[in-house]
Amino acid sequence: MSEVYDCTNPEGLAAGIEAAAAAVRAGGVVVLPTDTVYGIGCDAFDATAVASVLAAKGRGREMPPPVLVPNQRTVDGLARAIPDYARHLIDAYWPGALTLVLECQPSLTWDLGETNGTVALRMPAHQIALALLGDAGPMAVTSANITGSPAATTVAEAQAMLGASVAVYLDGGPATSSVSSTILDCTGPTPVTLREGALSRREIDEAIDAAEREERERRAAADAPAPSATAEPPRPRSGPRIAGARRRR
């Protein structure tokens, strides 16, 4: 039977995070609030649990779930060949509603579906989501809904669609946004928009342009020659010159 925790108060939040993290570590599926819509997720490194998430949504392996991370440092452990512009976007918009598709580290033993050697990463700007990720580690998380239905913006909506396929529901109150994250393919020399969501392409391009301009200015300042040293002017006499002060021979 599914458990529901009211995470809008400190006691419920602590109990909910503990129960959800335990469920994730045991291979279970949980529902959690994010800064966009509610998500359904599991341990990203548990292939059976990932299959359960896809089955609960009625989704096939051709649509692998993104992976949510607790901090920016996690990115280098999960992805490789990260372009400079992707790092600029991470600095500008994480945590936030931006998902980046990057080349996956080949040493990772996970199965998210038909990813073609990539992984979609995001750091959500939500206290409850980050608390769970900090305890359970990276999670494969996708919108909490049956494929083809609107994404859940409340726990009640998620329960109505997903029912007992979820072990723990974390109730953080109504979602503050019903708009999904923007997804960018960052495996090439320039980002390609796969889905425009909370962030517009104009905002993305402006952030990249600003970061690249700052980088050029820093490099120019570092390469500029140091000012040449000038000769020290002669030191003035400390007092008035007295006539006849020089001894005559």
Side-chain angles (χ1 to χ4, degrees):
M1 183 177 178
S2 302
E3 297 178 286
V4 181
Y5 290 86
D6 181 358
C7 295
T8 60
N9 61 79
E11 295 78 14
L13 174 61
I17 295 301
E18 182 179 1
V24 170
R25 286 191 287 268
V29 175
V30 302
V31 159
L32 64 154
T34 76
D35 49 339
T36 54
V37 295
Y38 271 78
I40 177 174
C42 66
D43 181 354
F45 295 94
D46 188 328
T48 302
V50 172
S52 296
V53 167
L54 296 177
K57 285 179 60 72
R59 174 182 289 186
R61 288 173 51 82
E62 72 280 358
M63 297 182 68
V67 173
L68 298 190
V69 297
N71 53 59
Q72 295 184 15
R73 298 185 304 275
T74 312
V75 174
D76 287 291
L78 303 178
R80 67 181 187 91
I82 303 171
D84 288 341
Y85 69 78
R87 294 192 185 276
H88 295 328
L89 292 173
I90 287 172
D91 290 338
Y93 292 118
W94 277 19
L98 178 64
T99 300
L100 303 180
V101 177
L102 300 162
E103 292 184 32
C104 178
Q105 286 284 4
S107 60
L108 295 178
T109 56
W110 60 7
D111 184 4
L112 300 170
E114 304 303 329
T115 63
N116 295 317
T118 65
V119 60
L121 299 177
R122 184 166 90 87
M123 179 183 175
H126 196 284
Q127 174 191 4
I128 297 173
L130 290 175
L132 177 55
L133 293 166
D135 194 337
M139 293 178 58
V141 179
T142 182
S143 58
N145 61 290
I146 300 296
T147 298
S149 299
T153 58
T154 66
V155 156
E157 291 176 0
Q159 279 184 293
M161 289 185 279
L162 302 170
S165 63
V166 173
V168 174
Y169 288 87
L170 299 181
D171 187 354
T176 56
S177 173
S178 60
V179 182
S180 299
S181 69
T182 294
I183 302 177
L184 296 180
D185 182 343
C186 297
T187 60
T190 58
V192 175
T193 302
L194 301 181
R195 181 183 72 192
E196 186 165 313
L199 292 171
S200 69
R201 183 65 199 217
R202 178 179 178 181
E203 290 173 299
I204 297 296
D205 291 340
E206 287 177 349
I208 294 174
D209 290 343
E212 290 179 346
R213 183 168 58 252
E214 291 177 5
E215 183 65 23
R216 288 194 298 270
E217 291 172 354
R218 282 195 296 268
R219 290 177 180 175
D223 294 340
S228 58
T230 58
E232 188 174 324
R235 183 177 298 176
R237 294 177 180 273
S238 58
R241 184 173 182 177
I242 301 175
R246 173 181 287 184
R247 180 179 298 175
R248 294 182 181 181
R249 293 174 180 252

